[in-house]
């Protein structure tokens, strides 16, 4: 009898496959966020071509003799990317291994994430072989953000969550706001990949690219403010949604302040530029998580 009780306790304490996968997804998402931050630092430090070959660096796994800050940034960026890629392969393997015990959409979502990370790796190689061509660099960041968003959607969808049937229109509004932030991030990538701010201030070239990014602040800001204000005005909103709305508002203020600072300082302070892009990714992440939870809340209304 004692043995049967012990076996029952062990079975109850076993981690469910969906929990294993959810934890892995969030770990990959964190690694991806750090990967984008390191990639931003690599760009602003002019380290994008510090390793002249790809996928190795100076023909080595660890270029110890050539190692300096720029080489380290580019090398570490590739190392982190490789770890994210391997982890995504593990995610796909687990999803298909446990496909009978997890939501039916999860294996296909993991395959989509793997497709994105493979495509991202190809773009990463092209950024080096094509000598940082601006359109490839922009696509590289855009795909990274899309991969990041995919992980967030998967991870948030697997979270235990019981809505309060109050989200209603917030699901649509937050989704629009997330899209606007994503689009604004792409405009920022165009500015950075072409050094448009420097070009505009020095010889008035590429000012259109710079001005498009500045103009894009308006709709993106209005979208985030709509989420924040409607969340405040929605009675009985789930505490998690209200918290995420407040976080998105705080990140918006911080992002605008960093944007103004980087513009006035003409991108001369690298940590400010990296922080500007990292906060933008964090704002996008907050809105995506809010959107998924709001849609789950809205789904309760539809089912009810």
């Amino acid at each position: 009898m004692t043995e049967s009780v012990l076996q029952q306790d062990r079975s109850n304490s076993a981690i469910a496959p969906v929990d294993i996968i959810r934890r892995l997804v969030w770990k990959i998402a964190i690694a991806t966020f750090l990967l984008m931050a390191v990639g931003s630092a690599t760009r602003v430090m002019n380290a994008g071509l510090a390793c002249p070959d790809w996928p190795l660096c100076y023909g080595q796994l660890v270029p110890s003799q050539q190692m300096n800050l720029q080489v380290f940034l580019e090398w570490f960026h590739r190392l982190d990317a490789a770890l994210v890629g391997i982890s995504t392969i593990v995610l796909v393997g687990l999803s298909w291994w446990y496909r009978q015990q997890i939501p039916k959409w999860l294996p296909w979502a993991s395959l989509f994430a793997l497709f994105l990370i493979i495509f991202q790796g190809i773009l990463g190689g092209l950024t080096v072989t094509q000598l940082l061509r601006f359109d490839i660099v922009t696509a590289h960041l855009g795909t990274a953000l899309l991969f990041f968003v995919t992980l967030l959607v998967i991870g948030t969808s697997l979270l235990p969550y019981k809505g309060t049937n109050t989200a209603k229109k917030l699901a649509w509004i937050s989704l629009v706001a997330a899209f606007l932030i994503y689009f604004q991030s792409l405009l920022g990538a165009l500015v950075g990949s072409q050094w448009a701010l420097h070009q505009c201030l020095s010889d008035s070239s590429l000012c259109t690219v710079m001005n498009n990014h500045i103009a894009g602040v308006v709709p993106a800001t209005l979208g985030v403010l709509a989420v924040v204000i409607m969340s405040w005005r929605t009675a009985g909103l789930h505490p998690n949604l209200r918290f995420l709305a407040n976080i998105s508002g705080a990140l918006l203020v911080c992002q605008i302040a960093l944007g103004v600072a980087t513009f006035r300082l003409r991108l001369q302070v690298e940590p400010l530029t990296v922080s500007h892009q990292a906060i933008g990714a964090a704002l996008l992440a907050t809105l995506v998580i809010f959107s998924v939870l709001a849609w789950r809340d809205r789904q309760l209304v539809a089912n009810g």
Side-chain angles (χ1 to χ4, degrees):
M1 181 177 180
T2 304
E3 291 180 357
S4 64
V5 172
L6 288 174
Q7 290 175 355
Q8 184 177 2
D9 290 341
R10 289 173 183 172
S11 62
N12 291 336
S13 61
I15 303 176
V18 69
D19 294 328
I20 296 174
I21 293 174
R22 185 185 69 243
R23 294 175 185 179
L24 176 60
V25 167
W26 285 111
K27 290 177 181 177
I28 300 174
I30 293 172
T32 302
F33 181 82
L34 295 176
L35 177 63
M36 291 187 293
V38 174
S40 174
T42 301
R43 185 189 61 78
V44 300
M45 294 293 293
N46 290 316
L49 296 176
C51 294
D53 49 345
W54 188 88
L56 298 177
C57 187
Y58 288 96
Q60 306 171 63
L61 289 175
V62 183
S64 54
Q65 294 183 351
Q66 296 85 3
M67 191 66 75
N68 54 35
L69 177 59
Q70 290 183 314
V71 173
F72 175 79
L73 285 172
E74 174 63 9
W75 172 80
F76 186 77
H77 181 63
R78 295 184 186 184
L79 175 64
D80 193 6
L83 293 176
V84 169
I86 293 172
S87 299
T88 306
I89 294 174
V90 173
L91 171 64
V92 172
L94 288 174
S95 297
W96 284 92
W97 180 263
Y98 290 118
R99 63 185 180 278
Q100 302 297 332
Q101 305 172 53
I102 60 177
K104 293 181 179 180
W105 55 265
L106 185 50
W108 299 105
S110 64
L111 273 179
F112 179 67
L114 180 60
F115 165 77
L116 288 176
I117 201 63
I118 292 174
F119 184 60
Q120 175 72 348
I122 294 173
L123 289 174
L126 289 174
T127 58
V128 176
T129 59
Q130 298 298 314
L131 304 179
L132 303 180
R133 215 174 75 186
F134 80 91
D135 53 344
I136 297 176
V137 173
T138 302
H140 187 53
L141 175 62
T143 305
L145 285 172
L146 187 56
F147 174 73
F148 184 48
V149 166
T150 301
L151 294 174
L152 294 173
V153 171
I154 295 173
T156 308
S157 298
L158 297 178
L159 286 174
Y161 176 74
K162 185 176 182 180
T164 59
N165 299 348
T166 56
K168 299 181 181 178
K169 294 181 180 180
L170 270 171
W172 282 108
I173 295 174
S174 59
L175 187 63
V176 171
F179 174 79
L180 290 173
I181 293 297
Y182 178 81
F183 184 69
Q184 177 68 352
S185 298
L186 293 183
L187 291 177
L190 282 173
V191 173
S193 61
Q194 299 180 82
W195 299 97
L197 177 58
H198 297 85
Q199 298 289 337
C200 182
L201 295 177
S202 61
D203 57 13
S204 298
S205 61
L206 296 179
C207 288
T208 300
V209 177
M210 186 68 238
N211 292 334
N212 286 338
H213 182 54
I214 294 175
V217 172
V218 176
T221 299
L222 292 177
V224 177
L225 288 178
V227 173
V228 175
I229 294 172
M230 285 198 64
S231 297
W232 288 347
R233 294 171 60 89
T234 302
L237 188 67
H238 195 286
N240 289 350
L241 289 176
R242 200 177 301 278
F243 173 76
L244 288 169
N246 292 334
I247 291 296
S248 64
L251 289 173
L252 175 66
V253 173
C254 185
Q255 179 72 341
I256 292 175
L258 286 171
V260 172
T262 54
F263 180 83
R264 289 187 175 275
L265 295 173
R266 302 189 178 190
L267 302 179
Q268 296 301 312
V269 183
E270 288 86 358
L272 278 180
T273 305
V274 175
S275 298
H276 183 54
Q277 297 184 0
I279 294 297
L283 177 56
L284 175 62
T286 304
L287 290 171
V288 168
I289 295 172
F290 184 102
S291 298
V292 175
L293 293 181
W295 275 100
R296 291 179 65 180
D297 193 281
R298 180 185 175 89
Q299 192 65 34
L300 289 175
V301 177
N303 293 336

